Amino acid sequence: MKKSMKTENILIIDSDYEEASGFIKGLEEVTCECWKVVLHENNKIYGIKRYIKFFTVALDTVFSSSHYEGKMVLCWQQFYGIAIAFFSRLFHVKKRYKLIIMTFIYKPKKGIIGKLFYKFVKYAITSKYVDKIILTTQSEKNMYKDIFGVEDQIFGFAKCGAIEYIPEKFDDFSLKKRNYLFSTGRSNRDYNFLIKAVENTEYPLIIACDVLDAESKGNIEVKKDIFGNDMLRYMRNARGVVIALDDDKIASGQLVFLHAMNMGVPVIITKSHGITDDYVKNNYNGLIIEKTESDLLEALDKIYKDDELYYNLCENEKREFYDNYTYYAMGKNIGKILNSIKTDSI
């Protein structure tokens, strides 16, 4: 693609350049404009330090707004975008660029902290500084409209994407022969349900979660130090991946589902209005269950004993991932949304 335009839009990320490379390719291909990646690594920082980083980066962006005149600023990490909008409104700065917030998810918090968090988010996203909020599930739009009192047009929808790995690089025969189930993820998980349903059954289960308040016992193994490539190795060599969600109205579990698709490992997931509506086709690229012990055990029986179904799930998942869920595909989808707001006045 020939890039003759001087405008260089900005993508703010918090992870690494590798994650953004395929996404940028798709984004530039569709928008026909240049995009510069601005990395503020924050995905391995936890607690108060993480939020301090969000605020300091946002303040720096706000006070340097003249550098972004006439551009689009796309925030992959939603809290960068929310904080930029918050401080822009607080200090009444001139609106110089279009601000787009990606992967928006809001989960209410309890107590006084929850009330302050709600006011913080609402103050930011109801301001003139936010041009588009991109959701990863369509079902969330009506919920957020009611919660924050915003209009339809502020929202866009684009499915998640993920880094494309070569599955065979993660093969490990010593793990494979253990014939275990695997579950991972922090946000919106119901591990209590999963553990209760699987404990004392014939199915070995490995859970990788560093914040889970549970220990290994019997056929359940809890690992709190499995990240990155190690997590993918455990996933790749599992018989199946189980995603048990807590709140069925909140978007979560997509990245684990996409990684499992990429690895060619069947997924069992509890029904939700988010991921199972927009990402999973039951008995095609995953098994959708009600969150009951009987439904889970029935699904486990299928992936352990129905070889034809197991093979079809694996193949369909891999094909679906390559066609629709790479970061390149995600970049193209979001590029179409950005094209729709290009001509709007700042």
Side-chain angles (χ1 to χ4, degrees):
M1 179 182 68
K2 186 177 180 180
K3 303 171 188 174
S4 57
M5 300 185 68
K6 292 183 179 180
T7 300
E8 187 176 54
N9 299 305
I10 304 298
L11 171 66
I12 299 178
I13 63 173
D14 73 335
S15 51
D16 56 59
Y17 289 110
E18 180 187 4
E19 184 176 83
S21 60
F23 179 81
I24 285 288
K25 181 181 177 183
L27 199 59
E28 291 188 333
E29 187 175 300
V30 171
T31 62
C32 298
E33 293 187 359
C34 299
W35 285 83
K36 176 184 177 181
V37 178
V38 177
L39 173 62
H40 296 289
E41 194 168 2
N42 202 21
N43 65 331
K44 295 177 182 177
I45 302 173
Y46 304 108
I48 190 65
K49 290 182 179 180
R50 181 172 172 82
Y51 290 97
I52 290 172
K53 183 72 174 285
F54 288 141
F55 293 144
T56 54
V57 169
L59 283 169
D60 181 66
T61 304
V62 169
F63 292 130
S64 304
S65 61
S66 60
H67 297 163
Y68 308 120
E69 186 81 44
K71 300 180 180 182
M72 286 188 280
V73 176
L74 176 62
C75 298
W76 188 313
Q77 162 51 259
Q78 66 166 344
F79 283 109
Y80 282 137
I82 292 169
I84 288 169
F86 175 85
F87 288 122
S88 294
R89 183 174 187 177
L90 185 66
F91 297 122
H92 303 284
V93 302
K94 179 182 178 182
K95 182 170 172 58
R96 299 177 181 273
Y97 51 83
K98 289 180 177 152
L99 178 65
I100 303 97
I101 300 172
M102 280 176 58
T103 59
F104 181 83
I105 298 173
Y106 172 78
K107 185 175 182 180
K109 302 179 186 297
K110 296 179 180 179
I112 186 65
I113 296 298
K115 291 179 181 178
L116 290 173
F117 180 65
Y118 167 75
K119 289 181 178 181
F120 164 71
V121 175
K122 183 174 181 178
Y123 185 79
I125 70 172
T126 57
S127 72
K128 67 179 181 180
Y129 299 96
V130 178
D131 294 275
K132 190 67 74 173
I133 297 171
I134 300 177
L135 307 177
T136 57
T137 68
Q138 299 188 73
S139 61
E140 292 174 294
K141 182 174 72 172
N142 288 334
M143 179 176 69
Y144 293 146
K145 279 173 57 182
D146 292 340
I147 291 174
F148 296 110
V150 290
E151 300 298 325
D152 265 1
Q153 59 265 28
I154 195 68
F155 295 110
F157 166 70
K159 291 182 179 180
C160 278
I163 294 176
E164 182 179 341
Y165 295 98
I166 300 173
E168 290 76 17
K169 287 188 175 181
F170 298 90
D171 286 342
D172 186 325
F173 179 71
S174 64
L175 283 178
K176 192 83 171 177
K177 67 182 182 180
R178 293 174 61 182
N179 211 27
Y180 58 91
L181 300 167
F182 184 68
S183 189
T184 190
R186 288 174 164 185
S187 176
N188 195 34
R189 297 302 196 271
D190 192 344
Y191 286 122
N192 288 333
F193 158 75
L194 180 57
I195 290 171
K196 185 177 179 181
V198 175
E199 65 183 354
N200 300 319
T201 67
E202 62 185 296
Y203 306 112
L205 169 65
I206 297 177
I207 299 174
C209 180
D210 63 331
V211 296
L212 178 59
D213 186 20
E215 301 299 330
S216 300
K217 183 180 179 181
N219 62 318
I220 312 290
E221 185 176 351
V222 177
K223 290 188 169 291
K224 302 182 181 182
D225 58 351
I226 302 297
F227 306 98
N229 287 342
D230 276 343
M231 185 278 293
L232 293 173
R233 185 168 57 88
Y234 273 89
M235 178 181 284
R236 165 66 176 172
N237 295 284
R239 179 69 182 184
V241 171
V242 184
I243 304 173
L245 299 174
D246 184 20
D247 187 334
D248 65 3
K249 298 180 182 64
I250 296 173
S252 50
Q254 293 101 318
L255 284 179
V256 171
F257 176 64
L258 297 186
H259 285 314
M261 289 179 73
N262 183 193
M263 292 294 140
V265 181
V267 174
I268 299 169
I269 183 168
T270 57
K271 189 175 182 180
S272 76
H273 296 297
I275 182 171
T276 56
D277 286 350
D278 296 317
Y279 294 80
V280 190
K281 302 172 188 175
N282 195 29
N283 290 305
Y284 177 76
N285 67 336
L287 298 178
I288 302 172
I289 63 169
E290 297 292 339
K291 198 166 65 174
T292 65
E293 183 177 330
S294 59
D295 263 28
L296 176 56
L297 294 179
E298 182 181 339
L300 294 179
D301 198 51
K302 287 181 180 179
I303 68 166
Y304 273 92
K305 297 177 182 178
D306 189 336
D307 290 337
E308 182 179 357
L309 174 64
Y310 186 88
Y311 174 80
N312 288 336
L313 288 172
C314 293
E315 293 303 306
N316 292 338
E317 281 184 342
K318 288 186 287 187
R319 184 165 53 250
E320 280 273 305
F321 177 82
Y322 294 133
D323 289 346
N324 301 308
Y325 295 109
T326 61
Y327 276 140
Y328 171 66
M330 183 184 177
K332 292 200 295 182
N333 289 334
I334 288 182
K336 293 173 185 176
I337 296 173
L338 300 186
N339 282 344
S340 72
I341 65 173
K342 269 184 186 180
T343 56
D344 296 344
S345 60
I346 295 176

